[in-house]
Amino acid sequence: MATIIDGKAISQKIRSEVKSATEKLIREKGVTPGLAVVLVGDNPASKVYVGSKEKACVEMGFYSEKHVLPVTASQDELLKLIDKLNKDKNIHGILVQLPLPKQINEDLVLEAISPEKDVDGFHPYNVGRLAVGKPLFQPCTPYGMMKMLEYSNISVEGKHAVIIGRSNIVGKPIALMLLHKSATVTICHSKTKDLKAEVKRADIVVAAIGKPEFVTGDMLKEGAVVLDVGINRLESGKLVGDVDFASAEKVASAITPVPGGVGPMTIAMLMYNTLESAKRV
Ligand code: NAD
């Protein structure tokens, strides 16, 4: 039976470390980390995410601002707001909640955020910094997975990591992060010829597909470490990952559950990145 990598416990540890470091920063330098969260429209899932981020800011002792624009907001309006936040000395991190309404060009918006305040790590400058191994901000979800490995004392060096999914927010950045820790990395995607054979060779499997219980125990090598990024709601209402937990935990040496695995790490790392940004002032 696999060891469960408890994302809830690890994220709490990180949050309490960020909270203490924030108190110290305020006490010694008089700097309060500030995060601005921008929400356009009223997508229910986005509202929930923004609410959790605000709550986390309060818990950390951060200064936070929420900016809500109507679903009809123009691209110009949003760009003007970002420009204002870029210049605001009280703000160290700017997060624009995705997805954005159709009339707004997401790439343009992400590129308008100052790279020094890009706590999501999605700006092409920060993507490039990560690619050359000199990151300024690392995207929160994959960064959280690296912390999970670190806190669980799972070494990466020399291991074969197989990543399923090549998205810009998870698959590609986790591949780079694992590569920089000296893993041998394979990235698989929807056009991969023999996915089963690729996954069977993996010491570390990252599932970032968006398909419920897609990776099953029989696909895994005995003793593999399994990181499940997926968040899928079944018709029954049950929340499951991209990995079939019941069969995978019998083969894996360590596995992240859903819920309570990678999910809680994302906000913890957003707090971490915002603190790091404030420390650089
Ligand atoms: P995405 O839809 O952008 O990418 C999915 C990837 O899966 C694509 O690269 C595609 O090539 C690959 N894929 C699809 N079908 C495949 C198949 N049959 N075989 C192999 N590869 C296949 O997804 P994403 O944004 O990376 O998110 C993936 C999952 O992670 C989703 O369930 C999402 O909800 C979840 N997610 C969770 C968090 C978090 O925990 N905080 C953050 C981001 C995403």
Side-chain angles (χ1 to χ4, degrees), residues 184-205:
T184 301
V185 178
T186 301
I187 306 177
C188 299
H189 46 79
S190 55
K191 303 285 189 289
T192 296
K193 283 266 161 53
D194 189 352
L195 185 73
K196 282 195 173 172
E198 299 293 347
V199 175
K200 202 72 182 178
R201 292 192 296 140
D203 302 308
I204 299 171
V205 178

PDB file of all heavy atoms in Angstrom, residues 184-205:
ATOM      1  N   THR A 184      15.022  12.507 -15.473  1.00  0.00           N
ATOM      2  CA  THR A 184      14.916  12.304 -16.921  1.00  0.00           C
ATOM      3  C   THR A 184      13.427  12.413 -17.213  1.00  0.00           C
ATOM      4  O   THR A 184      12.623  11.706 -16.604  1.00  0.00           O
ATOM      5  CB  THR A 184      15.438  10.898 -17.301  1.00  0.00           C
ATOM      6  OG1 THR A 184      16.794  10.822 -16.872  1.00  0.00           O
ATOM      7  CG2 THR A 184      15.334  10.654 -18.797  1.00  0.00           C
ATOM      8  N   VAL A 185      13.058  13.319 -18.111  1.00  0.00           N
ATOM      9  CA  VAL A 185      11.642  13.679 -18.222  1.00  0.00           C
ATOM     10  C   VAL A 185      11.053  13.298 -19.576  1.00  0.00           C
ATOM     11  O   VAL A 185      11.651  13.568 -20.622  1.00  0.00           O
ATOM     12  CB  VAL A 185      11.461  15.201 -17.990  1.00  0.00           C
ATOM     13  CG1 VAL A 185      10.005  15.604 -18.157  1.00  0.00           C
ATOM     14  CG2 VAL A 185      11.960  15.602 -16.609  1.00  0.00           C
ATOM     15  N   THR A 186       9.904  12.673 -19.533  1.00  0.00           N
ATOM     16  CA  THR A 186       9.135  12.393 -20.751  1.00  0.00           C
ATOM     17  C   THR A 186       7.799  13.115 -20.619  1.00  0.00           C
ATOM     18  O   THR A 186       7.144  13.007 -19.581  1.00  0.00           O
ATOM     19  CB  THR A 186       8.866  10.875 -20.887  1.00  0.00           C
ATOM     20  OG1 THR A 186      10.112  10.187 -20.922  1.00  0.00           O
ATOM     21  CG2 THR A 186       8.070  10.559 -22.151  1.00  0.00           C
ATOM     22  N   ILE A 187       7.422  13.853 -21.649  1.00  0.00           N
ATOM     23  CA  ILE A 187       6.106  14.520 -21.630  1.00  0.00           C
ATOM     24  C   ILE A 187       5.182  13.787 -22.609  1.00  0.00           C
ATOM     25  O   ILE A 187       5.492  13.677 -23.794  1.00  0.00           O
ATOM     26  CB  ILE A 187       6.193  16.008 -22.036  1.00  0.00           C
ATOM     27  CG1 ILE A 187       7.225  16.743 -21.161  1.00  0.00           C
ATOM     28  CG2 ILE A 187       4.827  16.682 -21.929  1.00  0.00           C
ATOM     29  CD1 ILE A 187       7.438  18.195 -21.544  1.00  0.00           C
ATOM     30  N   CYS A 188       4.066  13.291 -22.093  1.00  0.00           N
ATOM     31  CA  CYS A 188       3.083  12.615 -22.945  1.00  0.00           C
ATOM     32  C   CYS A 188       1.853  13.502 -23.117  1.00  0.00           C
ATOM     33  O   CYS A 188       1.604  14.392 -22.309  1.00  0.00           O
ATOM     34  CB  CYS A 188       2.644  11.300 -22.308  1.00  0.00           C
ATOM     35  SG  CYS A 188       4.000  10.140 -22.076  1.00  0.00           S
ATOM     36  N   HIS A 189       1.105  13.239 -24.172  1.00  0.00           N
ATOM     37  CA  HIS A 189      -0.082  14.045 -24.463  1.00  0.00           C
ATOM     38  C   HIS A 189      -1.061  13.227 -25.287  1.00  0.00           C
ATOM     39  O   HIS A 189      -0.832  12.021 -25.505  1.00  0.00           O
ATOM     40  CB  HIS A 189       0.326  15.350 -25.171  1.00  0.00           C
ATOM     41  CG  HIS A 189       1.312  15.117 -26.262  1.00  0.00           C
ATOM     42  ND1 HIS A 189       0.933  14.658 -27.497  1.00  0.00           N
ATOM     43  CD2 HIS A 189       2.659  15.207 -26.271  1.00  0.00           C
ATOM     44  CE1 HIS A 189       2.016  14.503 -28.240  1.00  0.00           C
ATOM     45  NE2 HIS A 189       3.078  14.825 -27.518  1.00  0.00           N
ATOM     46  N   SER A 190      -2.097  13.888 -25.780  1.00  0.00           N
ATOM     47  CA  SER A 190      -3.164  13.142 -26.454  1.00  0.00           C
ATOM     48  C   SER A 190      -2.706  12.427 -27.732  1.00  0.00           C
ATOM     49  O   SER A 190      -3.368  11.506 -28.197  1.00  0.00           O
ATOM     50  CB  SER A 190      -4.322  14.089 -26.781  1.00  0.00           C
ATOM     51  OG  SER A 190      -3.826  15.178 -27.520  1.00  0.00           O
ATOM     52  N   LYS A 191      -1.569  12.831 -28.282  1.00  0.00           N
ATOM     53  CA  LYS A 191      -1.085  12.188 -29.519  1.00  0.00           C
ATOM     54  C   LYS A 191       0.031  11.181 -29.251  1.00  0.00           C
ATOM     55  O   LYS A 191       0.617  10.632 -30.194  1.00  0.00           O
ATOM     56  CB  LYS A 191      -0.587  13.254 -30.514  1.00  0.00           C
ATOM     57  CG  LYS A 191      -1.617  14.310 -30.900  1.00  0.00           C
ATOM     58  CD  LYS A 191      -2.649  13.735 -31.873  1.00  0.00           C
ATOM     59  CE  LYS A 191      -3.551  14.815 -32.439  1.00  0.00           C
ATOM     60  NZ  LYS A 191      -4.495  15.359 -31.458  1.00  0.00           N
ATOM     61  N   THR A 192       0.361  10.948 -28.010  1.00  0.00           N
ATOM     62  CA  THR A 192       1.411   9.973 -27.671  1.00  0.00           C
ATOM     63  C   THR A 192       0.980   8.583 -28.154  1.00  0.00           C
ATOM     64  O   THR A 192      -0.163   8.174 -27.927  1.00  0.00           O
ATOM     65  CB  THR A 192       1.660   9.974 -26.146  1.00  0.00           C
ATOM     66  OG1 THR A 192       2.166  11.263 -25.790  1.00  0.00           O
ATOM     67  CG2 THR A 192       2.655   8.904 -25.726  1.00  0.00           C
ATOM     68  N   LYS A 193       1.911   7.873 -28.797  1.00  0.00           N
ATOM     69  CA  LYS A 193       1.579   6.594 -29.455  1.00  0.00           C
ATOM     70  C   LYS A 193       1.206   5.494 -28.470  1.00  0.00           C
ATOM     71  O   LYS A 193       0.140   4.912 -28.549  1.00  0.00           O
ATOM     72  CB  LYS A 193       2.757   6.126 -30.336  1.00  0.00           C
ATOM     73  CG  LYS A 193       2.829   6.882 -31.639  1.00  0.00           C
ATOM     74  CD  LYS A 193       2.085   6.130 -32.770  1.00  0.00           C
ATOM     75  CE  LYS A 193       1.727   7.018 -33.931  1.00  0.00           C
ATOM     76  NZ  LYS A 193       2.846   7.783 -34.497  1.00  0.00           N
ATOM     77  N   ASP A 194       2.125   5.200 -27.516  1.00  0.00           N
ATOM     78  CA  ASP A 194       1.846   4.092 -26.598  1.00  0.00           C
ATOM     79  C   ASP A 194       1.989   4.599 -25.166  1.00  0.00           C
ATOM     80  O   ASP A 194       3.021   4.408 -24.523  1.00  0.00           O
ATOM     81  CB  ASP A 194       2.826   2.939 -26.913  1.00  0.00           C
ATOM     82  CG  ASP A 194       2.452   1.674 -26.145  1.00  0.00           C
ATOM     83  OD1 ASP A 194       1.547   1.730 -25.272  1.00  0.00           O
ATOM     84  OD2 ASP A 194       3.075   0.624 -26.403  1.00  0.00           O
ATOM     85  N   LEU A 195       0.950   5.256 -24.706  1.00  0.00           N
ATOM     86  CA  LEU A 195       0.984   5.894 -23.388  1.00  0.00           C
ATOM     87  C   LEU A 195       1.275   4.883 -22.276  1.00  0.00           C
ATOM     88  O   LEU A 195       2.075   5.142 -21.377  1.00  0.00           O
ATOM     89  CB  LEU A 195      -0.353   6.608 -23.125  1.00  0.00           C
ATOM     90  CG  LEU A 195      -0.401   7.408 -21.831  1.00  0.00           C
ATOM     91  CD1 LEU A 195       0.428   8.673 -21.929  1.00  0.00           C
ATOM     92  CD2 LEU A 195      -1.833   7.763 -21.452  1.00  0.00           C
ATOM     93  N   LYS A 196       0.642   3.725 -22.386  1.00  0.00           N
ATOM     94  CA  LYS A 196       0.819   2.697 -21.339  1.00  0.00           C
ATOM     95  C   LYS A 196       2.289   2.334 -21.184  1.00  0.00           C
ATOM     96  O   LYS A 196       2.793   2.226 -20.068  1.00  0.00           O
ATOM     97  CB  LYS A 196      -0.002   1.444 -21.665  1.00  0.00           C
ATOM     98  CG  LYS A 196      -1.464   1.644 -21.333  1.00  0.00           C
ATOM     99  CD  LYS A 196      -2.222   0.343 -21.304  1.00  0.00           C
ATOM    100  CE  LYS A 196      -3.625   0.639 -20.784  1.00  0.00           C
ATOM    101  NZ  LYS A 196      -4.536  -0.458 -20.856  1.00  0.00           N
ATOM    102  N   ALA A 197       2.970   2.137 -22.305  1.00  0.00           N
ATOM    103  CA  ALA A 197       4.389   1.758 -22.251  1.00  0.00           C
ATOM    104  C   ALA A 197       5.218   2.878 -21.630  1.00  0.00           C
ATOM    105  O   ALA A 197       6.154   2.618 -20.866  1.00  0.00           O
ATOM    106  CB  ALA A 197       4.880   1.440 -23.658  1.00  0.00           C
ATOM    107  N   GLU A 198       4.890   4.111 -21.965  1.00  0.00           N
ATOM    108  CA  GLU A 198       5.629   5.260 -21.408  1.00  0.00           C
ATOM    109  C   GLU A 198       5.443   5.320 -19.897  1.00  0.00           C
ATOM    110  O   GLU A 198       6.399   5.480 -19.140  1.00  0.00           O
ATOM    111  CB  GLU A 198       5.154   6.590 -22.034  1.00  0.00           C
ATOM    112  CG  GLU A 198       5.330   6.712 -23.541  1.00  0.00           C
ATOM    113  CD  GLU A 198       6.787   6.773 -23.971  1.00  0.00           C
ATOM    114  OE1 GLU A 198       7.668   6.962 -23.117  1.00  0.00           O
ATOM    115  OE2 GLU A 198       7.042   6.610 -25.179  1.00  0.00           O
ATOM    116  N   VAL A 199       4.188   5.205 -19.447  1.00  0.00           N
ATOM    117  CA  VAL A 199       3.882   5.344 -18.014  1.00  0.00           C
ATOM    118  C   VAL A 199       4.500   4.188 -17.232  1.00  0.00           C
ATOM    119  O   VAL A 199       4.982   4.369 -16.114  1.00  0.00           O
ATOM    120  CB  VAL A 199       2.350   5.430 -17.796  1.00  0.00           C
ATOM    121  CG1 VAL A 199       2.019   5.453 -16.307  1.00  0.00           C
ATOM    122  CG2 VAL A 199       1.776   6.665 -18.484  1.00  0.00           C
ATOM    123  N   LYS A 200       4.545   3.012 -17.833  1.00  0.00           N
ATOM    124  CA  LYS A 200       5.087   1.810 -17.164  1.00  0.00           C
ATOM    125  C   LYS A 200       6.557   1.992 -16.789  1.00  0.00           C
ATOM    126  O   LYS A 200       7.056   1.354 -15.871  1.00  0.00           O
ATOM    127  CB  LYS A 200       4.924   0.605 -18.110  1.00  0.00           C
ATOM    128  CG  LYS A 200       4.927  -0.736 -17.426  1.00  0.00           C
ATOM    129  CD  LYS A 200       3.658  -0.981 -16.644  1.00  0.00           C
ATOM    130  CE  LYS A 200       3.640  -2.287 -15.910  1.00  0.00           C
ATOM    131  NZ  LYS A 200       2.429  -2.473 -15.116  1.00  0.00           N
ATOM    132  N   ARG A 201       7.267   2.882 -17.500  1.00  0.00           N
ATOM    133  CA  ARG A 201       8.695   3.085 -17.236  1.00  0.00           C
ATOM    134  C   ARG A 201       8.945   4.135 -16.158  1.00  0.00           C
ATOM    135  O   ARG A 201      10.084   4.401 -15.779  1.00  0.00           O
ATOM    136  CB  ARG A 201       9.388   3.543 -18.529  1.00  0.00           C
ATOM    137  CG  ARG A 201       9.435   2.475 -19.593  1.00  0.00           C
ATOM    138  CD  ARG A 201      10.353   2.861 -20.722  1.00  0.00           C
ATOM    139  NE  ARG A 201       9.868   4.053 -21.429  1.00  0.00           N
ATOM    140  CZ  ARG A 201      10.654   5.025 -21.872  1.00  0.00           C
ATOM    141  NH1 ARG A 201      11.951   4.970 -21.692  1.00  0.00           N
ATOM    142  NH2 ARG A 201      10.141   6.062 -22.501  1.00  0.00           N
ATOM    143  N   ALA A 202       7.864   4.751 -15.670  1.00  0.00           N
ATOM    144  CA  ALA A 202       8.029   5.939 -14.822  1.00  0.00           C
ATOM    145  C   ALA A 202       8.279   5.623 -13.353  1.00  0.00           C
ATOM    146  O   ALA A 202       7.575   4.810 -12.751  1.00  0.00           O
ATOM    147  CB  ALA A 202       6.785   6.807 -14.933  1.00  0.00           C
ATOM    148  N   ASP A 203       9.281   6.310 -12.775  1.00  0.00           N
ATOM    149  CA  ASP A 203       9.467   6.286 -11.319  1.00  0.00           C
ATOM    150  C   ASP A 203       8.542   7.329 -10.685  1.00  0.00           C
ATOM    151  O   ASP A 203       8.118   7.179  -9.551  1.00  0.00           O
ATOM    152  CB  ASP A 203      10.916   6.649 -10.956  1.00  0.00           C
ATOM    153  CG  ASP A 203      11.913   5.712 -11.611  1.00  0.00           C
ATOM    154  OD1 ASP A 203      11.744   4.495 -11.456  1.00  0.00           O
ATOM    155  OD2 ASP A 203      12.842   6.199 -12.290  1.00  0.00           O
ATOM    156  N   ILE A 204       8.303   8.395 -11.434  1.00  0.00           N
ATOM    157  CA  ILE A 204       7.396   9.456 -10.974  1.00  0.00           C
ATOM    158  C   ILE A 204       6.381   9.709 -12.093  1.00  0.00           C
ATOM    159  O   ILE A 204       6.771   9.921 -13.245  1.00  0.00           O
ATOM    160  CB  ILE A 204       8.166  10.764 -10.670  1.00  0.00           C
ATOM    161  CG1 ILE A 204       9.207  10.531  -9.562  1.00  0.00           C
ATOM    162  CG2 ILE A 204       7.207  11.904 -10.285  1.00  0.00           C
ATOM    163  CD1 ILE A 204      10.160  11.690  -9.330  1.00  0.00           C
ATOM    164  N   VAL A 205       5.111   9.654 -11.760  1.00  0.00           N
ATOM    165  CA  VAL A 205       4.066   9.916 -12.758  1.00  0.00           C
ATOM    166  C   VAL A 205       3.310  11.174 -12.346  1.00  0.00           C
ATOM    167  O   VAL A 205       2.885  11.303 -11.201  1.00  0.00           O
ATOM    168  CB  VAL A 205       3.050   8.742 -12.840  1.00  0.00           C
ATOM    169  CG1 VAL A 205       1.934   9.051 -13.844  1.00  0.00           C
ATOM    170  CG2 VAL A 205       3.747   7.447 -13.205  1.00  0.00           C
TER     171      VAL A 205
END
